Amino acid sequence: MAEPTANGVGMPQLDVTTFSNQIFWLIVTLAVLYYIMSRVALPRIASVLADRRGTITSDIAAAEEYKQKAREAEEAYTKALADARAEANRIIEAARAEMQAELDVQMEKADAEISAKAAESERRIRDIRDSAMDMVSEVSNDITVDILSAFDAKADKARVTSAVSERLKGGA
Amino acid sequence: MKRPGQASVRNKGTETVASENTGFEIKPMEQFEVKALFGGDISWYTPTNVTLWMALTVLAASALMIFGARGRALVPSRAQSAAELTYGFVHNMVKDVAGHDAVRFFPHIFTLFMFVLFANLLGLIPFAFTTTSHIAVTAVLALTVFLSVTALGFILNGAKFLGLFWVSSAPLALRPVLALIELISYFARPISHSIRLAGAMMAGHAVAKVFAGFAGALGAAFFVPVLAVTALYALELLVAVIQAYVFTILTCVYLRDALHPSH
Amino acid sequence: MEGDIAEMGKFIGVGLTAIGMGGAAIGVGNIAGNFLSGALRNPSAAAGQTAMLFIGIAFAEALGIFSFLVALLLMFAV
């Protein structure tokens, strides 16, 4: 099995006659590949990676800045909102006080008017009652005199009057 | 085993596994033959299939690393992503295994990795020639690593590089014995480094070829070996990448020893 | 006839050498299994040690490949 063919031995790997050829082409290949990789490919990829890292870093910084700005804007907004709310409260309070004052004045006026009117009414009621009382006593006198005359009794006007008024006072 | 009737073809350094009279022959080693591309004898400069497949290796590596990454986009395309991942993978490996001061040798190690990786992967194409299955190729690679790492160790550390063999943490009596063992294992490095790669490549391809040969012999049951070859092919794909990784990571380990020889 | 006996011895030798690859298989399985059991105990430390895993596998595997190589040499080159 082991007889060498014209070219070498049974295993092509052990065929020494091709070694010089393989080694020569291997060295050429490695030199070319090393040249391509170290001069072109690797610097290019390294620069791309560095660019990306730089971009990412600056983007993160920019994002941080924007975040800061947003936070500031939010603070300003909150402050403005609080101010506006305070201002609105103040205005409402003032309006309410003004209205209350106005209301009080009006109420006082109305009360005064009402009490004046009530006093007037009371006075008139009293007048009416007084006059009514006078008329009652007068009518009673007249009726009493009439009744007495109907009974043919002589009626003294002064006695009748005093008796009626005494009666009215007692009855009242 | 060679019988008179058997044809002995020139330039065919293979043997048939089975005899011819069964009509069934598998030549697992035929695929490893070095052949001149344009015929004729092979001298050191003849363009052979070695030349062809090494050139294709360079083309494939360049295609990935240059054309894949040509967009230089901030958000990478798929090919650019692959190129950048390869770059990052090897870069991290050099940094983690060999140390930060080894990053200046990154282009060398990267070249080595790309060559081995693409030679292994291209060898998996049917009818391809696997350059890394040849001991001559891997021995040159391993010897290059070994010699340059040793030279680097002596240049950077001077005589202190010999401290690599003098295990100062061991008991004094044991140290000469350990030094001998360390020395032997140091010189065995290029051997195992090269034979591991060539052997793994050769083994996988030869086994695939044998299984493929069964398919022709089994007739109607041909699909069994075809399934086996399919499974084997997936394994070989894994082996191709892992061997490239292992070759590179061992280079990094040796480089670390050269840069920091103290145990 | 004499050549055939030599041939037979060679094939027996090749077969015996191939047993060596089983040893490498055991070794690789051992490494991977121990790595896995360690990784399951402390998953956070596992990622940093995959390089060591592959280096260990490579060393163990190399010996199997040596025996495979001896088999090939016996088969084709002796």
Side-chain angles (χ1 to χ4, degrees):
Chain A
M1 188 170 190
E3 307 101 287
T5 57
N7 207 17
V9 287
M11 246 170 97
Q13 277 87 349
L14 298 179
D15 184 357
V16 233
T17 55
T18 65
F19 275 19
S20 57
N21 182 276
Q22 294 190 47
I23 291 169
F24 169 68
W25 287 115
L26 173 66
I27 289 167
V28 170
T29 305
L30 285 181
V32 171
L33 193 62
Y34 177 71
Y35 185 81
I36 292 175
M37 288 296 146
S38 65
R39 289 294 153 87
V40 188
L42 296 182
R44 188 178 288 185
I45 292 182
S47 78
V48 169
L49 290 179
D51 277 1
R52 182 171 309 146
R53 203 168 299 132
T55 312
I56 289 173
T57 315
S58 65
D59 278 3
I60 287 175
E64 199 59 43
E65 201 174 301
Y66 283 132
K67 208 166 150 191
Q68 189 61 36
K69 272 185 190 163
R71 201 174 293 135
E72 277 165 16
E74 198 192 338
E75 266 163 29
Y77 166 77
T78 318
K79 195 173 166 298
L81 197 65
D83 284 358
R85 200 165 280 153
E87 177 75 12
N89 278 341
R90 204 181 54 72
I91 289 171
I92 289 170
E93 208 51 54
R96 186 180 292 150
E98 203 172 305
M99 274 160 73
Q100 192 64 47
E102 179 90 353
L103 196 65
D104 287 351
V105 169
Q106 294 288 343
M107 285 283 261
E108 221 162 286
K109 215 156 110 196
D111 278 352
E113 257 171 45
I114 288 167
S115 54
K117 273 189 182 159
E120 172 79 3
S121 306
E122 232 163 79
R123 194 181 52 76
R124 276 173 56 191
I125 289 168
R126 207 184 309 120
D127 284 357
I128 290 167
R129 203 173 55 194
D130 288 353
S131 62
M133 286 302 285
D134 287 351
M135 277 164 74
V136 165
S137 57
E138 208 166 302
V139 169
S140 307
N141 283 343
D142 287 354
I143 290 171
T144 313
V145 170
D146 285 349
I147 291 169
L148 286 174
S149 59
F151 282 113
D152 283 336
K154 279 281 184 224
D156 185 3
K157 217 162 179 176
R159 269 184 62 198
V160 168
T161 306
S162 67
V164 166
S165 62
E166 207 166 300
R167 258 329 236 214
L168 276 172
K169 254 179 214 154
Chain B
M1 190 162 148
K2 196 141 280 178
R3 294 183 191 88
Q6 203 166 355
S8 166
V9 188
R10 215 178 121 78
N11 268 358
K12 281 243 153 82
T14 51
E15 295 288 330
T16 54
V17 167
S19 60
E20 271 180 297
N21 48 22
T22 56
F24 159 52
E25 64 181 318
I26 301 170
K27 294 176 179 167
M29 304 312 268
E30 191 187 11
Q31 56 181 325
F32 301 123
E33 274 171 36
V34 177
K35 290 180 207 135
L37 279 183
F38 309 110
D41 286 337
I42 295 172
S43 61
W44 61 272
Y45 56 84
T46 321
T48 53
N49 47 1
V50 179
T51 320
L52 173 68
W53 286 98
M54 282 187 181
L56 287 177
T57 305
V58 173
L59 277 183
S62 312
L64 175 64
M65 299 310 290
I66 293 175
F67 293 103
R70 75 186 179 285
R72 301 188 182 210
L74 218 51
V75 179
S77 64
R78 234 181 281 179
Q80 193 184 336
S81 225
E84 283 168 9
L85 284 177
T86 318
Y87 180 98
F89 175 70
V90 181
H91 200 268
N92 282 342
M93 176 159 52
V94 173
K95 211 167 57 184
D96 294 346
V97 178
H100 282 280
D101 44 351
V103 171
R104 62 195 149 129
F105 302 109
F106 170 63
H108 306 79
I109 293 174
F110 192 78
T111 305
L112 213 56
F113 177 73
M114 289 311 265
F115 175 75
V116 176
L117 179 69
F118 277 98
N120 288 353
L121 288 178
L122 287 177
L124 286 174
I125 299 171
F127 304 110
F129 174 80
T130 321
T131 48
T132 41
S133 69
H134 272 262
I135 194 75
V137 171
T138 57
V140 170
L141 289 176
L143 275 177
T144 312
V145 170
F146 177 75
L147 292 178
S148 44
V149 159
T150 310
L152 199 69
F154 277 113
I155 289 168
L156 290 180
N157 304 298
K160 267 195 277 178
F161 182 60
L162 293 172
L164 185 63
F165 307 111
W166 197 250
V167 189
S168 49
S169 58
L172 193 61
L174 276 179
R175 283 184 206 173
V177 185
L178 282 177
L180 191 65
I181 294 172
E182 289 279 331
L183 204 63
I184 292 171
S185 79
Y186 189 78
F187 282 101
R189 275 176 180 183
I191 301 172
S192 68
H193 203 190
S194 60
I195 288 181
R196 176 182 304 113
L197 178 57
M201 286 298 109
M202 200 197 318
H205 287 70
V207 171
K209 190 70 185 274
V210 169
F211 271 98
F214 287 161
L218 287 179
F222 69 91
F223 56 89
V224 179
V226 168
L227 286 179
V229 170
T230 310
L232 196 68
Y233 197 90
L235 181 70
E236 280 307 297
L237 214 54
L238 180 72
V239 166
V241 178
I242 285 184
Q243 287 300 327
Y245 174 64
V246 162
F247 194 91
T248 320
I249 208 167
L250 286 177
T251 306
C252 290
V253 170
Y254 300 160
L255 187 61
R256 180 188 58 194
D257 282 351
L259 296 176
H260 313 284
S262 52
H263 267 278
Chain C
M1 190 61 200
E2 202 178 303
D4 282 348
I5 288 174
E7 198 78 5
M8 187 183 75
K10 189 157 80 183
F11 283 135
I12 291 173
V14 171
L16 287 176
T17 318
I19 296 172
M21 289 184 265
I26 293 171
V28 172
N30 217 344
I31 293 169
N34 281 331
F35 176 79
L36 194 62
S37 67
L40 287 176
R41 276 168 210 271
N42 187 3
S44 57
Q49 299 305 317
T50 44
M52 294 310 292
L53 171 73
F54 280 109
I55 292 173
I57 285 182
F59 280 129
E61 190 200 40
L63 301 170
I65 287 173
F66 289 160
S67 84
F68 172 74
L69 192 78
V70 172
L72 276 183
L73 287 174
L74 276 178
M75 190 88 176
F76 295 109
V78 175

